[in-house]
Amino acid sequence: MGDRVLVIGGGGREHALGWKLAQSPQVQDLYFAPGNGGTSLLGTNVDIAVTDTTGLLNFATDQKIDFTVVGPEAALEAGVVDAFRARDLNIFGPTKAAAQIETSKAFTASFMERYNIPQPTSVTVNTIKTALQYTASHNSTEYVIKADGLAAGKGVILPASKKEAEEVIRQMLSGKLFGEAGQTIVFQERLIGQEVSAFAVTDGQNIAMLPFFQDHKPVYDGDKGPNTGGIGCYTPVPIITDKIAEQITTIMQSVINGLRQDGILYTGVLYAGLFVTPEGPKVIEFNARFGDPECEPMMLILDGDFYPILKRAVAGDILPTDIKVKKGAIADVVLCSAGYPTKFKIGYPITGLESINDSDILVFHAGTKTINNQIVTTGGRVLNVTAYGNDLKTALDKAYSAVRRIHFKDMHYRTDIGQKALNQ
Ligand code: AMP
Ligand code: GLY
């Protein structure tokens, strides 16, 4: 008899995790809370919110779940991991205290300073007068302005001129732009270089690095328009040389060591958003979970059974050599509802999915639901078209050929995913 596994979440990331776990001979039954139209094809969707700690705990106990995997940060922040551990249930993900590396900017800034994690320099300001003194003495291209509080991913401004900077400062500090979240602002050194996403599985002591990815955040081609949660990504990343990979691995290990010294055992996935600058990699943010969309292509390029590795992270047995990656490249193109990340319509039928039957192409569902045997759109990010190839160009060509076979009203996607890497 194999294990009964619960995956918490309902996005493309959780569909991909479920797809990979379903291939493990050790996994017998899969449950998703709440899941989506894609996960319902792999297991059973249960209608419990990711932050409903009591509901999740009761389900796991009643259904004799052997192992739980947490997808989104909201569940971590709600203390789901702490609650499961208190009942001796096996769960993959950091505790609420450990997840502060993502959920609290103040915690992370002081942590990084104490442990010499390379990061851009910054100055925190909370009056218009001090802010204007800063803009008077710095060139506007040297810094970015960040709202200190959570601003739904929109709190970072790269001003094009002093005039724009002053306008943003007045709007933020007066509370007009982001309310309370903008009433403290941070001027941060503007980094020059390419961004990468780095991931490590950890048991709180040792780490095993997962593949590096480049994500595309802005919604339109040419990096135009507002930032999304991520609208397409790929691996391998050409700018990651062996030396840079080693530097980033050292950063990840220092974070885990530092947390342990502070009395926090971090188990799960650590995700760093970095800039590769001429002075080496610098961290702009940490997340306490797998990336979305990065997790979708990641599951496709990992070789071998991933389930025992997740179990070893929880048991405290991670080895740096645990992760095996297939040769070749993977691209992921996100199909979303036009208007995302702000206003968009949902409820449209999706067609063409059945016409994709190439073992190198997988479509992971994000915002979908099955109603009367018809898959319909239910969110901003709707589907992830993920394709494998011997090289990035082949992977991208395959992904886009599949994209052209899928249709739903208001479908939008970027046509230039991976171009930055191909141009290098
Ligand atoms: P964040 O919300 O901190 O992840 O930032 C969103 C985006 O703003 C990042 O993906 C970067 O493209 C950009 N950004 C953030 N911080 C900096 C920085 N210090 N220098 C240059 N660009 C930045
Ligand atoms: N890909 C961006 C994120 O997961 O936060």
Side-chain angles (χ1 to χ4, degrees):
M1 266 262 289
D3 285 359
R4 296 161 65 75
V5 176
L6 168 66
V7 178
I8 298 175
R13 170 178 51 206
E14 290 76 25
H15 185 193
L17 283 167
W19 173 83
K20 186 71 180 162
L21 296 179
Q23 293 165 53
S24 171
Q26 296 181 29
V27 173
Q28 180 173 305
D29 294 308
L30 275 169
Y31 296 88
F32 298 87
N36 60 37
T39 62
S40 66
L41 308 171
L42 294 170
T44 309
N45 287 351
V46 287
D47 194 14
I48 308 173
V50 302
T51 51
D52 179 2
T53 306
T54 311
L56 292 166
L57 201 52
N58 289 342
F59 177 82
T61 315
D62 294 348
Q63 295 296 319
K64 300 192 165 46
I65 296 295
D66 297 295
F67 196 86
T68 300
V69 184
V70 183
E73 66 278 16
L76 302 172
E77 198 175 23
V80 171
V81 172
D82 308 65
F84 273 54
R85 292 229 187 119
R87 294 257 199 105
D88 276 333
L89 294 171
N90 292 315
I91 185 161
F92 180 84
T95 58
K96 190 173 171 171
Q100 284 184 95
I101 197 100
E102 168 164 10
T103 58
S104 166
K105 274 200 188 131
F107 170 89
T108 307
S110 105
F111 173 82
M112 285 170 75
E113 204 160 306
R114 278 186 293 120
Y115 289 101
N116 291 319
I117 309 293
Q119 60 174 326
T121 55
S122 59
V123 178
T124 302
V125 167
N126 45 31
T127 67
I128 293 180
K129 187 167 165 241
T130 330
L132 295 180
Q133 278 167 0
Y134 185 95
T135 55
S137 57
H138 292 81
N139 193 319
S140 64
T141 54
E142 287 170 13
Y143 57 83
V144 305
I145 303 174
K146 295 189 173 184
D148 188 53
L150 291 175
K154 293 171 208 151
V156 182
I157 306 287
L158 284 68
S161 65
K162 185 163 165 245
K163 190 160 166 271
E164 188 190 339
E166 289 176 354
E167 178 65 23
V168 166
I169 286 163
R170 288 203 170 88
Q171 296 254 333
M172 279 199 193
L173 287 171
S174 66
K176 269 192 207 137
L177 197 50
F178 300 119
E180 215 178 304
Q183 288 184 308
T184 297
I185 62 170
V186 178
F187 287 104
Q188 194 171 70
E189 169 196 1
R190 192 182 299 193
L191 298 176
I192 311 287
Q194 288 195 38
E195 287 181 73
V196 296
S197 307
F199 303 88
V201 182
T202 178
D203 56 11
Q205 177 138 14
N206 292 313
I207 66 169
M209 290 297 289
L210 289 154
F212 293 98
F213 279 85
Q214 268 185 311
D215 189 12
H216 297 63
K217 293 254 173 73
V219 72
Y220 301 124
D221 283 9
D223 286 339
K224 301 264 172 13
N227 271 349
T228 65
I231 192 171
C233 61
Y234 56 87
T235 195
V237 179
I239 52 160
I240 301 289
T241 58
D242 286 351
K243 181 171 170 224
I244 293 170
E246 213 174 284
Q247 289 170 326
I248 296 177
T249 307
T250 303
I251 291 174
M252 304 296 261
Q253 185 69 62
S254 321
V255 172
I256 297 306
N257 295 351
L259 287 169
R260 209 173 63 246
Q261 273 189 45
D262 287 357
I264 296 175
L265 192 77
Y266 187 108
T267 60
V269 170
L270 177 68
Y271 165 179
L274 306 114
F275 263 78
V276 177
T277 77
E279 302 103 68
K282 292 189 182 177
V283 176
I284 57 165
E285 66 168 353
F286 285 111
N287 296 309
R289 50 176 174 79
F290 287 101
D292 196 348
E294 292 95 327
C295 184
E296 289 86 316
M298 188 188 284
M299 291 306 117
L300 212 63
I301 205 160
L302 290 185
D303 214 2
D305 193 349
F306 196 40
Y307 184 56
I309 300 172
L310 300 184
K311 287 211 294 194
R312 279 210 293 284
V314 174
D317 295 329
I318 282 292
L319 298 171
T321 49
D322 267 339
I323 300 296
K324 304 273 183 294
V325 181
K326 289 180 200 156
K327 287 203 168 64
I330 301 265
D332 175 272
V333 179
V334 178
L335 308 184
C336 53
S337 305
Y340 167 76
T342 42
K343 262 177 124 169
F344 52 86
K345 292 191 180 146
I346 58 170
Y348 299 126
I350 302 169
T351 58
L353 290 174
E354 64 298 333
S355 71
I356 298 160
N357 40 28
D358 175 333
S359 62
D360 285 343
I361 305 174
L362 266 145
V363 181
F364 292 118
H365 293 225
T368 77
K369 188 156 104 181
T370 309
I371 301 177
N372 300 330
N373 288 324
Q374 171 65 57
I375 303 212
V376 301
T377 65
T378 60
R381 292 191 290 187
V382 177
L383 296 167
N384 290 268
V385 180
T386 305
Y388 173 83
N390 289 331
D391 52 41
L392 185 59
K393 169 94 175 54
T394 313
L396 284 163
D397 286 349
K398 278 190 202 172
Y400 278 111
S401 75
V403 164
R404 285 188 288 272
R405 277 181 267 153
I406 301 172
H407 301 277
F408 56 86
K409 191 163 182 284
D410 287 355
M411 181 169 115
H412 164 76
Y413 60 91
R414 275 183 65 158
T415 65
D416 63 349
I417 302 301
Q419 282 308 316
K420 206 190 288 171
L422 290 186
N423 294 341
Q424 268 182 11

